């Protein structure tokens, strides 16, 4: 075991890499993990010395509060390799800020920016060979924090674990996407935790999503919890709707995650001269637009798939097919974003971040 000390991170390298056992031509999303992980514990009222150690199981007391009270938040981001073999991140400081926004809402102590960024960069330097190079593939990065402190008492824990784990992932392709506009269950409510990337937000989606899957849909489109008249989010993505030549997306609120892809899509669409309206979108106007032929595109936007075009949506007892449009916004915007991510194009927005 070699122990090295970088400015602040204690590094224990793996004795034997697992990389030769991985089939990089066949990478299911989020199922293979790299050689190392970043770990930092919050104990005695402060974050302790961060470490990078070989990827391994963790041991917790059965009374750890994560199991009982769901005190946990996470992030999802990616690292990309360019043709010269350099590694890049996309707007990583936005993920760093967002995990602290989520943490604060769940009464989890915030992690200092330099721990997150230095930990991430050091981990990517060590596991750089794990960033896949084939077309559309990338290294999915999962930073997360959870309550490791003990006690069957419904109160915040006194200790936490912050971990960054990485998973090489192939190009994301979901096949034809048929979604259901949901008007019984809700993902989030005013004053709740919908804007946080809290583990429980996802657990709460699984059952309604399974009901939709049983009816032949792949995903649920969430509407507002109060009236179910407004379209809000698509599963683990923000949603965009093109009516005529205008691109619509719902405004960020207590109930909607402030997606980094969403912000990027809005900026690039405006840069392309596309008219973008950030406003409340009614289910009625989308159904009407589908009926009168002005509904041109619907797509989800999120880190995993970048942009997922929706082929068909269901509302109450009717299904509506989206038209097939040449040179559509979804593929134009996806190309602009991925060209920046993979260092294939100029980055006039300053979003790309070199891992040196
Ligand atoms: C609920 C939800 N909305 C939207 C998004 C998209 O956010 P981002 O573009 O930052 O990945 C995600 C994924 O992180 C999500 O989980």
């Amino acid at each position: 075991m070699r122990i090295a000390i970088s400015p602040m991170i204690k590094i224990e390298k793996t004795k034997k890499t697992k990389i030769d056992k991985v089939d990089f031509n066949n990478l299911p999303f989020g199922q293979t993990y790299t050689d190392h992980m970043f770990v930092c514990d919050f104990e005695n009222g402060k974050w302790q010395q961060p470490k990078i150690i070989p990827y391994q199981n963790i041991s917790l007391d059965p009374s750890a509060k994560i199991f009982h009270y769901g005190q946990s938040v996470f992030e999802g981001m990616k690292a990309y390799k360019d043709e010269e073999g350099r590694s890049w991140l996309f707007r990583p400081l936005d993920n760093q800020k967002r995990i602290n926004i989520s943490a604060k809402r769940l009464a989890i102590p915030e992690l200092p920016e330099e721990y997150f960024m230095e930990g991430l960069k050091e981990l990517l330097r060590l596991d750089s060979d794990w960033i896949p190079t084939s077309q559309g593939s990338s290294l999915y990065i999962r930073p997360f924090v959870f309550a490791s402190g003990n006690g069957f008492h419904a109160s915040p824990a006194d200790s936490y674990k912050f971990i960054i784990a990485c998973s090489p992932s192939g190009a994301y392709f979901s096949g034809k996407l048929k979604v259901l506009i949901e008007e019984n269950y809700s993902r989030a409510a005013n004053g709740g935790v919908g804007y946080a990337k809290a583990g429980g937000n996802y657990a709460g989606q699984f059952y309604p999503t399974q009901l939709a899957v049983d009816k032949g849909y792949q995903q649920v489109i969430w509407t507002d919890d109060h009236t179910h008249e407004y379209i809000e989010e698509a599963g683990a993505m923000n949603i965009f709707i093109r009516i005529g030549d205008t691109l619509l997306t719902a405004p960020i609120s207590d109930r909607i995650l402030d997606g980094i892809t969403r912000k990027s899509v809005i900026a690039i669409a405006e840069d392309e001269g596309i008219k973008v309206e950030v406003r409340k979108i009614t289910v009625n106007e989308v159904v009407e637009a589908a009926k009168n032929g002005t509904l041109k595109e619907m797509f989800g936007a999120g880190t995993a798939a970048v942009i997922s075009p929706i082929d068909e949506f269901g509302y109450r007892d009717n299904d509506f097919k989206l038209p097939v449009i040449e040179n559509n916004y979804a593929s134009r915007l996806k190309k602009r974003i991925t060209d920046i991510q993979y260092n294939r194009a100029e980055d006039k927005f300053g979003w790309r971040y070199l891992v040196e």
Side-chain angles (χ1 to χ4, degrees):
M1 176 177 38
R2 194 180 79 87
I3 308 272
I5 311 281
S6 79
M8 53 178 248
I9 305 166
K10 190 170 164 188
I11 299 173
E12 179 195 333
K13 282 194 185 172
T14 185
K15 284 191 208 105
K16 192 168 174 357
T17 178
K18 305 171 288 190
I19 203 163
D20 41 356
K21 298 204 179 63
V22 177
D23 177 4
F24 276 82
N25 296 316
N26 179 24
L27 286 168
F29 191 84
Q31 305 271 333
T32 308
Y33 312 101
T34 64
D35 280 331
H36 299 95
M37 64 192 208
F38 172 86
V39 184
C40 189
D41 292 312
F42 183 89
E43 276 162 11
N44 304 320
K46 61 180 203 311
W47 290 101
Q48 304 293 320
Q49 187 182 20
K51 299 177 280 192
I52 290 178
I53 56 174
Y55 188 91
Q56 59 192 262
N57 287 351
I58 47 181
S59 165
L60 292 173
D61 190 285
S63 74
K65 295 203 180 199
I66 171 63
F67 298 135
H68 309 276
Y69 309 116
Q71 237 191 323
S72 114
V73 297
F74 66 98
E75 269 305 318
M77 52 202 299
K78 284 177 172 175
Y80 313 85
K81 272 253 163 98
D82 70 13
E83 282 182 353
E84 278 85 54
R86 284 176 299 180
S87 311
W88 299 89
L89 292 161
F90 184 69
R91 309 185 75 171
L93 286 161
D94 291 25
N95 296 94
Q96 184 274 323
K97 289 195 181 79
R98 192 170 65 184
I99 202 167
N100 279 342
I101 291 170
S102 302
K104 186 170 181 190
R105 180 62 182 84
L106 276 282
I108 294 174
E110 293 168 41
L111 187 87
E113 177 187 317
E114 64 276 14
Y115 280 42
F116 183 100
M117 289 306 299
E118 290 308 314
L120 183 58
K121 283 191 284 182
E122 194 62 59
L123 185 60
L124 291 176
R125 282 180 208 119
L126 269 180
D127 283 345
S128 164
D129 290 347
W130 287 84
I131 307 175
T133 50
S134 60
Q135 177 70 24
S137 60
S138 57
L139 186 73
Y140 185 77
I141 304 167
R142 171 54 59 84
F144 59 107
V145 204
F146 62 90
S148 51
N150 305 338
F152 294 143
H153 184 268
S155 57
D158 55 8
S159 49
Y160 296 85
K161 242 182 209 315
F162 182 98
I163 296 181
I164 306 177
C166 302
S167 172
S169 296
Y172 197 95
F173 177 68
S174 59
K176 284 224 177 279
L177 190 56
K178 187 175 171 188
V179 298
L180 178 67
I181 297 182
E182 175 63 59
E183 54 175 353
N184 296 307
Y185 295 96
S186 300
R187 193 191 85 89
N190 281 338
V193 296
Y195 68 91
K197 251 178 112 63
N201 282 341
Y202 299 82
Q205 296 189 62
F206 293 160
Y207 177 65
T209 304
Q210 187 55 50
L211 296 179
V213 169
D214 292 345
K215 290 190 210 153
Y217 301 91
Q218 281 98 43
Q219 268 299 343
V220 163
I221 300 291
W222 297 104
T223 53
D224 68 292
D225 61 300
H226 190 50
T227 64
H228 294 292
E229 284 174 14
Y230 298 98
I231 290 194
E232 303 221 307
E233 265 193 292
M237 292 185 286
N238 295 108
I239 187 155
F240 284 83
I241 296 171
R242 173 179 172 189
I243 297 182
D245 284 335
T246 305
L247 194 57
L248 310 174
T249 193
I252 291 310
S253 73
D254 266 11
R255 304 181 302 269
I256 299 182
L257 191 83
D258 186 4
I260 294 161
T261 318
R262 172 186 176 279
K263 287 194 279 198
S264 311
V265 166
I266 294 172
I268 289 182
E270 284 174 345
D271 189 58
E272 293 261 308
I274 294 170
K275 185 170 172 223
V276 181
E277 285 180 13
V278 179
R279 64 158 172 87
K280 289 172 132 192
I281 307 162
T282 64
V283 177
N284 263 344
E285 72 179 303
V286 175
V287 170
E288 278 314 304
K291 286 181 181 161
N292 69 27
T294 53
L295 180 66
K296 298 276 163 44
E297 293 179 58
M298 280 172 86
F299 55 85
T303 296
V306 189
I307 284 177
S308 284
I310 294 168
D311 300 288
E312 195 171 352
F313 76 90
Y315 179 58
R316 299 193 173 157
D317 293 328
N318 296 306
D319 286 340
F320 300 88
K321 274 207 162 46
L322 275 288
V324 177
I325 309 254
E326 287 282 304
N327 192 25
N328 52 62
Y329 288 176
S331 30
R332 272 166 66 188
L333 296 167
K334 181 168 182 175
K335 181 169 184 325
R336 284 277 313 266
I337 295 184
T338 51
D339 280 352
I340 293 175
Q341 291 172 331
Y342 287 89
N343 190 28
R344 292 190 294 248
E346 182 209 352
D347 173 21
K348 65 197 264 191
F349 304 97
W351 291 335
R352 209 161 42 213
Y353 186 105
L354 182 62
V355 182
E356 291 176 286

